Amino acid sequence: MNPFSSGTRLRDMIRAIRACKTAAEERAVVRKECAAIRAAISENDQDYRHRNLAKLMFIHMLGYPTHFGQMECLKLIASAGFPEKRIGYLGLMLLLDERQEVLMLVTNSLKQDLNHSNQYIVGLALCALGNICSAEMARDLAPEVERLLQTRDPNIRKKAALCSIRIIRKVPDLAENFMGPAASLLKEKHHGVLIAGVQLCTDLCKASTDALEYLRKNCTEGLVRILRDVSNSPYAPEYDIAGITDPFLHIRALRLMRMLGQGDADSSEYMNDILAQVATKTESNKNAGNAILYECVETIMGIEATSGLRVLAINILGRFLSNRDNNIRYVALNMLMKAVTVDFQAVQRHRTTILECVKDSDASIRKRALELVFLLVNDNNVKSLTKELIDYLEVSDQDFKGDLTAKICSIVEKFSQEKLWYIDQMFKVLSLAGNYVKDDVWHALIVMISNAPDLQGYSVRSLYKAFQTSNEQESLVRVTVWCIGEYGEMLVNNVGVLEMEEPMTVTESDAVDVVEVALKRHSSDIKTRAMSLVALLKISSRFPPTSERIREIVMQHKENVELELQQRSIEFNSIIQRHQNIKSSLVERMPVLDESTYIGKRVGSSQATLPADKSSRPTSGSPGASLKLPNGVAKPPPAPLVDLLDLSSDDVPAPTSSATDFLHDLLGGDLMSPSSSGGAGTDILMDLLSIGSPSAPTDVSIRNTISSNQGNAGEPKTAPASVMDLLDGLPSNSSLPGDKNPIYPSITAFESSTLKVTFSFTKQPGKPQNTMIQATFTNLSSNTYTDFIFQAAVPKFIQLRLDPASSSTLPASGNGTITQMLSVTNSQHGQKALAMRLRIVYKVNDQDKMEQGQINNFPPGL
Amino acid sequence: MIHFVILISRQGKVRLTKWYSPYSQKERTKVIRELSGMILTRGPKLCNFVEWKGYKVVYRRYASLYFCMCIDADDNELEILEIIHHFVEILDRYFGSVCELDLIFNFHKAYYILDEILIAGELQESSKKTVARLIAAQDSLVETAKEQASSISNMIAQATK
């Protein structure tokens, strides 16, 4: 015998390992043992295989790798004796899992053992199969297991039943084979077999609807009888737990009843009596009784129960909710979530208790209660609930704050009827837990503020006040800085004061102070600082006296390590110093952000679950067109304006809308005059046709159309090229989505002394990107044109198709016309307007002539 | 269904694990580490249920051992508490006032008992007497086999001397 073979007994090895003081010692012992075991394995040592595997299992439990032992399991399983098989199967279940291929090698041994004469060996095989078989093994051995469902030994029958459960879970197609045997298992007397049988039926119902139908038809009676018998049975010492006979059987039977009775009135009716009996008779002073009551209430809620039964169930829930035991309260909260769909009013009555649970010291209970509160919110109670939740937010734990904040924000958004209330709540949340507020929440807040002109003054003043006290909350800082930038003059000049506000004087330099603090704060991140820089630029325009000071502050960052900040700092410094004339146009008030677009996009990606009976409530004012159904999924319309809020491409000084009206936004606010879209078009087309210098002044997006707010009607349109470099590539905010007007007036696309071209438009309904244009050419001279060819060029985002012209000869003096159909597809319909250049060549008196021009006056919305 | 059963000591040492759902070895260690962290730090008065990754973990402390079972979100937590207690009582009857040391030195026997109570993550037998009887029968089979083996090897040893 090999002197190095494993002489130590299991017990001794365990003792040795436990005696180790350090991890290194333990590793040494384990290594020695593993080496011995490996040697024994390679020698194919029969005697100690049993012991070695036990040692290996212990080592495995300590966390060391033991794959070299896997084949040993197989060898042990293949041996003849019971002890070897027992430990072999145990090793198999412990050291392997179903995803390993080695497992397949066991299939044959399993098959033989399933047919063994020794019932305990059959039991071992069934147990192993039931715990770790893979789908292929399940398929292979299913017939054996089916057969075993009908053996004489109840021990084997119950193991076979549970093994079948696993087979069905792995291979649902086999469910039909087990339907019959499962139904007959319900007639058993042995509790173990009965429990296993009921469980098998439950899983069958989950796996296949056919099985569900079959069992519903054949087994409902039997099931009710089982429950009645066990509920009425006298004291049975073998199964008694806390005075109840076999609570496990009670619970399993109740669960199967729930599956069978769900959605089926007849079976539900059949179950009513026994459910009432169990609900009233079961004592609830011990856990076993409570477990049964819990399952009973779940079943009552799940089937089509009578109202009396439902009342009974809700009463039990109420009792549970006021129980002092934490487990019971947790379970009650869980049940109430399901009860909400069944009987909303009853659950509302418990609202105060549930609110108390939100503040409980137990984290699990708090979580459940918060979810339940969210389901209970409706228009009546939203204000008081939100107040309570916000009060609690102040004192809650750090790890709970995140959840709580998210829930409060979604409640506030979904149910806000007045903007003022919404803004107030959001400010409070930002002050208390701004760091936990997600980005899209405060984006929505900004959208909301920009849509509420009468509240802008109030907002900026409240934020200013809040900033003084809670400026460590990042989101609060960002919103404050943005608002001060936009509405700074409202802050200083006390514009739009509401009645309940206290008077407050803020000077211009105070406003600058706030932004400076935000900029310099140690904990501000890049985004906040970037926003602060932008805000400073805006303020320097709104409050000219502060320009110099602001310039100094901005210049402090010109060597900042962050590229974004450095760039902004230098660019803004340049603007402040040298480009005062366009500065104010650069930093005009932003256009009202299109709320419906923005919120539509959010709803599409949000997952708020609200009770079905709540009527969808978009924030007030927005004529709910695209908004609907917060619990549905709104298809997000393209949202170009969200880019406005994306601060990497900041400061798009688009022309302001004269009225900050919602309807205006919905209809796309056709803010851009066609000529400026043409301006953009010019730029793009320049490359296409490379035709000399642009004819129209290129002011890409620095147009200053009439804006009543600013009153700068006559701003020069010159755009120095240097500014263009700074602000290149900004998309011109041409006509926005939502334009519903299908009628487009014809335009004179081109007119010269000798030629006139008119375009008329038609659009097909449902294809907003396509436009059919009919071009009509009229000869204004007194000579006939021949070889008339019309060419057009369009920017890259537009596709153009020209149909053949009606003729190539154009009679003189308007005596006839040539018409030609064009078909245009604007791939950026809604974001960019059409633009086109045309070029016409013809012969006059045998001379070639060419005319070219650009079409700037396409109607918006094409 | 029960997805796995874990027994951990107060110091975080694993005494028994049984997995009824597929978890690779790496995943198992990760799960054990996470759950130990969550459960061992909970106070005594709190409820016995922890929500974890969409599942619920029901645990109960017996002396120095935490018995944890992971179940689906729609299972009956109170029943699982009863199953845990059922298991502990059977262990108690088998070992006679079971303590942690018994489970350390006789872990394989603890596994055998667990295999008589749960299969495929579902309850197998609600009668403690039946379980005890089955275990006893199998133990006696092992005893007889051992005796036979030792008597045979005695004979061979004597024969080859």
Side-chain angles (χ1 to χ4, degrees), chain A residues 390-518:
Chain A
I390 292 186
D391 289 340
Y392 179 56
L393 184 59
E394 220 168 330
V395 298
S396 61
D397 289 343
Q398 294 295 353
D399 31 350
F400 196 48
K401 266 199 169 122
D403 279 339
L404 192 48
T405 313
K407 281 286 184 322
I408 294 178
C409 292
S410 33
I411 292 178
V412 168
E413 256 175 274
K414 296 281 174 310
F415 288 90
S416 57
Q417 289 142 338
E418 311 154 358
K419 296 197 166 197
L420 182 57
W421 183 77
Y422 172 66
I423 289 182
D424 267 336
Q425 304 310 309
M426 287 309 295
F427 288 168
K428 277 195 209 137
V429 171
L430 282 177
S431 317
L432 288 172
N435 288 328
Y436 297 93
V437 172
K438 300 221 167 40
D439 281 348
D440 49 351
V441 172
W442 61 265
H443 287 174
L445 176 61
I446 288 186
V447 170
M448 163 64 88
I449 293 180
S450 87
N451 277 313
D454 40 338
L455 295 174
Q456 281 161 359
Y458 171 70
S459 306
V460 70
R461 278 187 293 276
S462 317
L463 284 171
Y464 177 82
K465 272 189 267 204
F467 186 85
Q468 310 297 329
T469 48
S470 349
N471 67 353
E472 72 283 0
Q473 304 290 347
E474 197 77 25
S475 311
L476 178 67
V477 171
R478 288 183 191 163
V479 178
T480 309
V481 150
W482 189 89
C483 283
I484 292 184
E486 279 291 301
Y487 310 122
E489 73 281 8
M490 290 192 187
L491 175 64
V492 173
N493 301 331
N494 273 328
V495 172
V497 181
L498 302 179
E499 327 148 330
M500 69 278 210
E501 282 188 61
E502 296 159 6
M504 189 172 78
T505 32
V506 181
T507 63
E508 294 174 358
S509 83
D510 286 338
V512 178
D513 284 340
V514 166
V515 185
E516 188 177 358
V517 166

Side-chain angles (χ1 to χ4, degrees), chain B residues 10-48:
Chain B
R10 289 263 292 148
Q11 289 80 34
K13 292 254 166 79
V14 174
R15 297 300 175 208
L16 189 148
T17 60
K18 188 86 185 183
W19 304 82
Y20 297 105
S21 282
Y23 283 86
S24 72
Q25 295 300 334
K26 272 216 182 94
E27 286 167 349
R28 291 181 190 188
T29 19
K30 193 157 160 279
V31 164
I32 293 176
R33 214 186 11 244
E34 269 183 52
L35 283 179
S36 316
M38 281 175 75
I39 292 177
L40 293 173
T41 47
R42 272 173 79 80
K45 292 286 194 326
L46 304 181
C47 71
N48 293 86

Side-chain angles (χ1 to χ4, degrees), chain A residues 18 86 99 120 131 158-159 169 238-239 246 252 287 291 294-295 326-327 330 334 362 364 368, chain B residues 20 24 27 45 47-49 51 56 76-77 79 82 104 116 120 122 125-127 130 137 139:
Chain A
R18 280 172 63 76
R86 201 183 194 201
R99 290 191 277 212
Y120 293 106
N131 283 340
K158 81 182 183 215
K159 289 191 158 78
R169 283 189 189 145
E238 196 174 336
Y239 297 107
D246 207 342
R252 308 272 148 160
N287 189 52
Y294 179 23
E295 196 71 37
N326 280 333
N327 289 345
Y330 177 92
N334 226 359
D362 186 334
S364 310
R368 290 268 130 239
Chain B
Y20 297 105
S24 72
E27 286 167 349
K45 292 286 194 326
C47 71
N48 293 86
F49 316 122
E51 292 180 32
K56 285 193 260 215
N76 185 335
E77 302 93 332
E79 187 200 14
E82 284 301 319
I104 295 173
E116 290 296 331
E122 300 291 349
E125 179 59 64
S126 54
S127 151
T130 316
D139 281 347

Side-chain angles (χ1 to χ4, degrees), chain B residues 41-97:
Chain B
T41 47
R42 272 173 79 80
K45 292 286 194 326
L46 304 181
C47 71
N48 293 86
F49 316 122
V50 175
E51 292 180 32
W52 173 77
K53 289 205 173 127
Y55 299 112
K56 285 193 260 215
V57 178
V58 180
Y59 72 94
R60 197 176 226 165
R61 184 171 156 216
Y62 287 88
S64 55
L65 269 183
Y66 284 86
F67 285 68
C68 316
M69 293 195 180
C70 171
I71 54 175
D72 290 321
D74 52 359
D75 280 341
N76 185 335
E77 302 93 332
L78 299 177
E79 187 200 14
I80 302 296
L81 278 176
E82 284 301 319
I83 293 181
I84 293 179
H85 193 70
H86 187 57
F87 181 37
V88 171
E89 283 206 339
I90 295 178
L91 283 173
D92 198 51
R93 276 194 210 185
Y94 182 78
F95 287 105
S97 286

Side-chain angles (χ1 to χ4, degrees), chain A residues 119-136:
Chain A
Q119 291 303 292
Y120 293 106
I121 293 184
V122 179
L124 286 177
L126 280 171
C127 180
L129 195 62
N131 283 340
I132 62 166
C133 77
S134 61
E136 289 89 29

